[in-house]
Amino acid sequence: MGGTKAKGLLGGERISEAEYAVMEALWARAPQSAAEVGEAVGGQRDWSLATVKTLLSRLVTKGALATEADGRRFLYTPLIERSDYVGGESRRLVDRLFGGRAAPLFAHLAEAEALSAEDIAEIESLLQELKQ
Amino acid sequence: MGGTKAKGLLGGERISEAEYAVMEALWARAPQSAAEVGEAVGGQRDWSLATVKTLLSRLVTKGALATEADGRRFLYTPLIERSDYVGGESRRLVDRLFGGRAAPLFAHLAEAEALSAEDIAEIESLLQELKQ
DNA sequence: CCGATACGATTACGGTTGTAAACTGAACGC
DNA sequence: GCGTTCAGTTTACAACCGTAATCGTATCGG
């Protein structure tokens, strides 16, 4: 296989949407304690701390987070990179809905006016790079 | 009320992945009977006809399919457009993972080498159109 | 007419998800 | 020392999902 260092997520384990919110907090800053994560996601979702703890545990079980003891509590750190997760999800969507090709997705976004002028400029310069 | 023509999917109902496979069959050709849909998806998934029927029923309940009696059986027709579904899912992904901006998604796909030369050419020409 | 079929509807059942309360053990204050 | 507090662990529980078997009934072949 690739040999390039295994990256978390044992088996076909997937990260659910609620779990993803927790990962976001930890990708933004790590390590963090459960309470800190609760603080961090508090703005977006209205969860009790118990809920956050459940999600953290599940993520540890899934191999998405590592724990490091800090006195009587744990500090959590992501074991998978945000870019890996994001890349995987993107690929899944492209595969499922667009036959694996990115162009139709792009066309869709364009058609739905989901592209700002800024996006267009940015993509254009990316294209330039790719062509070299 | 809105008046702007409701388009299927009552409430926040979402189409699951298995259900989506059924929708695909019906987007490809409609209307179709349960048996026909079973035939159609048979290639991809190894489902029993019972499973297909369950999925069809759930989709009807969710307001994603309409039924039309044909003798003693039903013919199913999509109530939501594929492009609406696809657009919605794409938007959800872009919102969730890329802060609503398409450029980072594009950058990701590019970086992950998910773009073929063909894709690039296609996107380039789309960009040209957009710019005028 | 009557049994074999073909359909949709009902029921099933284990797994995951969202959401959280209850439990348990360690540490800290007094 | 001893109760309070705080942290993680266990248990809960309904909804949704994947996957299907079973049930009830209308129809078709003979």
Side-chain angles (χ1 to χ4, degrees), chain A residues 14-76:
Chain A
R14 300 206 4 84
I15 292 177
S16 78
E17 215 162 303
E19 287 160 1
Y20 167 74
V22 166
M23 292 301 291
E24 272 294 320
L26 285 163
W27 276 322
R29 186 159 68 86
Q32 283 185 83
S33 70
E36 286 166 338
V37 171
E39 264 305 300
V41 299
Q44 282 64 58
R45 338 273 280 220
D46 194 26
W47 285 333
S48 86
L49 183 54
T51 299
V52 174
K53 288 179 181 178
T54 300
L55 295 173
L56 285 169
S57 296
R58 286 181 183 168
L59 284 166
V60 170
T61 305
K62 287 185 182 178
L65 292 180
T67 52
E68 149 201 8
D70 170 49
R72 56 150 132 194
R73 67 206 183 140
F74 284 163
L75 296 184
Y76 299 86

Side-chain angles (χ1 to χ4, degrees), chain B residues 53-105:
Chain B
K53 286 180 182 179
T54 299
L55 294 172
L56 285 168
S57 296
R58 288 181 182 167
L59 284 166
V60 169
T61 305
K62 288 185 180 177
L65 292 180
T67 53
E68 149 201 9
D70 170 50
R72 55 147 131 195
R73 68 204 183 141
F74 284 162
L75 297 183
Y76 299 86
T77 310
L79 276 179
I80 66 181
E81 308 255 357
R82 186 182 136 89
S83 65
D84 283 342
Y85 174 77
V86 161
E89 290 298 298
S90 305
R91 170 99 47 178
R92 278 171 51 78
L93 182 106
V94 170
D95 285 349
R96 220 164 55 89
L97 304 186
F98 299 97
R101 306 220 12 258
L105 164 59

Side-chain angles (χ1 to χ4, degrees), chain B residues 4-22:
Chain B
T4 50
K5 123 155 123 194
K7 43 167 183 3
L9 267 281
L10 343 168
E13 304 284 24
R14 299 199 16 73
I15 292 177
S16 79
E17 216 162 302
E19 286 160 2
Y20 167 75
V22 166

